[in-house]
PDB file of all heavy atoms in Angstrom:
ATOM      1  N   MET A1327     163.557 -98.998  68.528  1.00 92.00           N
ATOM      2  CA  MET A1327     163.059 -99.101  69.956  1.00 92.00           C
ATOM      3  C   MET A1327     161.493 -99.014  69.888  1.00 92.00           C
ATOM      4  O   MET A1327     160.863 -99.781  70.671  1.00 92.00           O
ATOM      5  CB  MET A1327     163.604 -98.045  70.760  1.00 92.00           C
ATOM      6  CG  MET A1327     164.983 -98.338  71.328  1.00 92.00           C
ATOM      7  SD  MET A1327     165.407 -97.203  72.704  1.00 92.00           S
ATOM      8  CE  MET A1327     165.592 -95.745  71.955  1.00 92.00           C
ATOM      9  N   LEU A1328     160.886 -98.170  69.173  1.00 94.00           N
ATOM     10  CA  LEU A1328     159.541 -98.104  69.103  1.00 94.00           C
ATOM     11  C   LEU A1328     159.003 -99.243  68.465  1.00 94.00           C
ATOM     12  O   LEU A1328     157.842 -99.624  68.972  1.00 94.00           O
ATOM     13  CB  LEU A1328     159.183 -96.790  68.265  1.00 94.00           C
ATOM     14  CG  LEU A1328     159.464 -95.359  68.905  1.00 94.00           C
ATOM     15  CD1 LEU A1328     159.268 -94.305  67.881  1.00 94.00           C
ATOM     16  CD2 LEU A1328     158.664 -95.056  70.185  1.00 94.00           C
ATOM     17  N   ALA A1329     159.376 -99.810  67.454  1.00 94.00           N
ATOM     18  CA  ALA A1329     158.938-101.050  66.874  1.00 94.00           C
ATOM     19  C   ALA A1329     158.926-102.069  67.826  1.00 94.00           C
ATOM     20  O   ALA A1329     157.893-102.846  67.903  1.00 94.00           O
ATOM     21  CB  ALA A1329     159.687-101.424  65.698  1.00 94.00           C
ATOM     22  N   ASP A1330     159.973-102.217  68.556  1.00 92.00           N
ATOM     23  CA  ASP A1330     160.100-103.299  69.605  1.00 92.00           C
ATOM     24  C   ASP A1330     159.088-103.185  70.706  1.00 92.00           C
ATOM     25  O   ASP A1330     158.339-104.033  71.171  1.00 92.00           O
ATOM     26  CB  ASP A1330     161.551-103.235  70.305  1.00 92.00           C
ATOM     27  CG  ASP A1330     161.646-104.275  71.335  1.00 92.00           C
ATOM     28  OD1 ASP A1330     161.575-105.456  71.099  1.00 92.00           O
ATOM     29  OD2 ASP A1330     161.831-103.827  72.506  1.00 92.00           O
ATOM     30  N   LEU A1331     158.781-101.886  71.181  1.00 92.00           N
ATOM     31  CA  LEU A1331     157.883-101.647  72.259  1.00 92.00           C
ATOM     32  C   LEU A1331     156.364-101.954  71.675  1.00 92.00           C
ATOM     33  O   LEU A1331     155.605-102.474  72.534  1.00 92.00           O
ATOM     34  CB  LEU A1331     157.885-100.162  72.698  1.00 92.00           C
ATOM     35  CG  LEU A1331     159.158 -99.958  73.511  1.00 92.00           C
ATOM     36  CD1 LEU A1331     159.254 -98.472  73.877  1.00 92.00           C
ATOM     37  CD2 LEU A1331     159.211-100.729  74.818  1.00 92.00           C
ATOM     38  N   ILE A1332     156.011-101.456  70.437  1.00 93.00           N
ATOM     39  CA  ILE A1332     154.825-101.758  69.936  1.00 93.00           C
ATOM     40  C   ILE A1332     154.537-103.380  69.728  1.00 93.00           C
ATOM     41  O   ILE A1332     153.513-103.766  70.065  1.00 93.00           O
ATOM     42  CB  ILE A1332     154.597-101.075  68.575  1.00 93.00           C
ATOM     43  CG1 ILE A1332     154.566 -99.587  68.816  1.00 93.00           C
ATOM     44  CG2 ILE A1332     153.418-101.545  67.878  1.00 93.00           C
ATOM     45  CD1 ILE A1332     154.503 -98.724  67.547  1.00 93.00           C
ATOM     46  N   PHE A1333     155.617-103.965  69.217  1.00 92.00           N
ATOM     47  CA  PHE A1333     155.432-105.419  69.025  1.00 92.00           C
ATOM     48  C   PHE A1333     155.244-106.134  70.266  1.00 92.00           C
ATOM     49  O   PHE A1333     154.463-107.112  70.536  1.00 92.00           O
ATOM     50  CB  PHE A1333     156.798-106.039  68.382  1.00 92.00           C
ATOM     51  CG  PHE A1333     156.686-107.446  68.167  1.00 92.00           C
ATOM     52  CD1 PHE A1333     156.007-108.056  67.064  1.00 92.00           C
ATOM     53  CD2 PHE A1333     157.438-108.251  69.053  1.00 92.00           C
ATOM     54  CE1 PHE A1333     156.064-109.455  66.884  1.00 92.00           C
ATOM     55  CE2 PHE A1333     157.487-109.707  68.916  1.00 92.00           C
ATOM     56  CZ  PHE A1333     156.714-110.233  67.832  1.00 92.00           C
ATOM     57  N   ALA A1334     155.791-105.681  71.452  1.00 87.00           N
ATOM     58  CA  ALA A1334     155.857-106.411  72.735  1.00 87.00           C
ATOM     59  C   ALA A1334     154.633-105.994  73.552  1.00 87.00           C
ATOM     60  O   ALA A1334     154.306-106.557  74.546  1.00 87.00           O
ATOM     61  CB  ALA A1334     157.054-106.113  73.450  1.00 87.00           C
ATOM     62  N   GLY A1335     153.872-105.043  73.035  1.00 89.00           N
ATOM     63  CA  GLY A1335     152.650-104.506  73.655  1.00 89.00           C
ATOM     64  C   GLY A1335     152.769-103.381  74.722  1.00 89.00           C
ATOM     65  O   GLY A1335     151.875-103.079  75.326  1.00 89.00           O
ATOM     66  N   TYR A1336     154.034-102.831  74.800  1.00 89.00           N
ATOM     67  CA  TYR A1336     154.222-101.798  75.736  1.00 89.00           C
ATOM     68  C   TYR A1336     153.823-100.492  75.292  1.00 89.00           C
ATOM     69  O   TYR A1336     153.639 -99.457  76.029  1.00 89.00           O
ATOM     70  CB  TYR A1336     155.708-101.783  76.111  1.00 89.00           C
ATOM     71  CG  TYR A1336     156.317-102.840  77.021  1.00 89.00           C
ATOM     72  CD1 TYR A1336     156.647-104.065  76.465  1.00 89.00           C
ATOM     73  CD2 TYR A1336     156.559-102.638  78.319  1.00 89.00           C
ATOM     74  CE1 TYR A1336     157.029-105.134  77.173  1.00 89.00           C
ATOM     75  CE2 TYR A1336     157.117-103.627  79.044  1.00 89.00           C
ATOM     76  CZ  TYR A1336     157.329-104.902  78.482  1.00 89.00           C
ATOM     77  OH  TYR A1336     157.820-105.835  79.307  1.00 89.00           O
ATOM     78  N   LEU A1337     153.576-100.384  74.002  1.00 91.00           N
ATOM     79  CA  LEU A1337     153.103 -99.206  73.409  1.00 91.00           C
ATOM     80  C   LEU A1337     151.978 -99.409  72.349  1.00 91.00           C
ATOM     81  O   LEU A1337     152.213-100.403  71.568  1.00 91.00           O
ATOM     82  CB  LEU A1337     154.316 -98.589  72.789  1.00 91.00           C
ATOM     83  CG  LEU A1337     154.224 -96.949  72.228  1.00 91.00           C
ATOM     84  CD1 LEU A1337     153.928 -96.040  73.417  1.00 91.00           C
ATOM     85  CD2 LEU A1337     155.575 -96.659  71.412  1.00 91.00           C
ATOM     86  N   LYS A1338     150.983 -98.624  72.345  1.00 93.00           N
ATOM     87  CA  LYS A1338     149.950 -98.874  71.313  1.00 93.00           C
ATOM     88  C   LYS A1338     149.985 -97.795  70.154  1.00 93.00           C
ATOM     89  O   LYS A1338     150.018 -96.643  70.514  1.00 93.00           O
ATOM     90  CB  LYS A1338     148.572 -98.802  71.917  1.00 93.00           C
ATOM     91  CG  LYS A1338     148.126-100.103  72.646  1.00 93.00           C
ATOM     92  CD  LYS A1338     146.717-100.014  73.160  1.00 93.00           C
ATOM     93  CE  LYS A1338     146.306-101.315  73.823  1.00 93.00           C
ATOM     94  NZ  LYS A1338     144.827-101.293  74.302  1.00 93.00           N
ATOM     95  N   GLY A1339     150.029 -98.303  68.927  1.00 93.00           N
ATOM     96  CA  GLY A1339     150.154 -97.401  67.870  1.00 93.00           C
ATOM     97  C   GLY A1339     150.857 -98.004  66.655  1.00 93.00           C
ATOM     98  O   GLY A1339     150.918 -99.205  66.697  1.00 93.00           O
TER      99      GLY A1339
END
Side-chain angles (χ1 to χ4, degrees):
M1327 276 196 295
L1328 292 170
D1330 176 63
L1331 290 176
I1332 291 170
F1333 177 79
Y1336 286 79
L1337 192 63
K1338 282 188 178 181

